[in-house]
Amino acid sequence: GAGDIKARIDDLKNEKESVAVLLFQVKDDKVTIAAGIKNAPLKAGAWIKEIAPIVGGGGGGRDDFAQAGGKDASKIDEAKAAAIAYATLILQGN
């Protein structure tokens, strides 16, 4: 469930000095998205708000952790591309 995806992000944050990660999990046509940030200029809540609507969902959270649910798993590839594009822009300082 959503606990698994959060645990994975917590693990990554514990392992690394600096991390920006956004994970997708699909189960029964439902999409769970979670974002985790540690010592990086991205804000998890803002990142999720940018990506969740692509998969027909919404959500948000804190600067360091956020999650959202969506109902259109067919748009995952599009959402992944958008997530990378958004992160790249922010990390380049735009």
Side-chain angles (χ1 to χ4, degrees):
D4 307 337
I5 200 170
K6 184 181 189 315
R8 185 71 194 108
I9 286 176
D10 287 341
D11 289 347
L12 286 166
K13 284 163 79 171
N14 291 334
E15 287 164 21
K16 300 188 186 321
E17 194 51 48
S18 170
V19 67
V21 58
L22 190 141
L23 300 179
F24 294 86
Q25 189 172 336
V26 180
K27 195 174 179 180
D28 305 326
D29 292 333
K30 297 265 192 296
V31 185
T32 304
I33 314 172
I37 308 291
K38 178 182 169 186
N39 298 328
L42 276 158
K43 294 191 187 331
W47 202 7
I48 284 275
K49 281 194 169 69
E50 190 79 18
I51 306 311
I54 297 170
V55 291
R62 306 185 307 270
D63 288 353
D64 65 329
F65 180 79
Q67 62 184 33
K71 46 192 183 296
D72 189 353
S74 73
K75 296 270 176 55
I76 281 233
D77 288 342
E78 189 183 325
K80 283 181 185 170
I84 291 166
Y86 178 81
T88 303
L89 274 178
I90 302 287
L91 296 172
Q92 286 172 346
N94 296 323

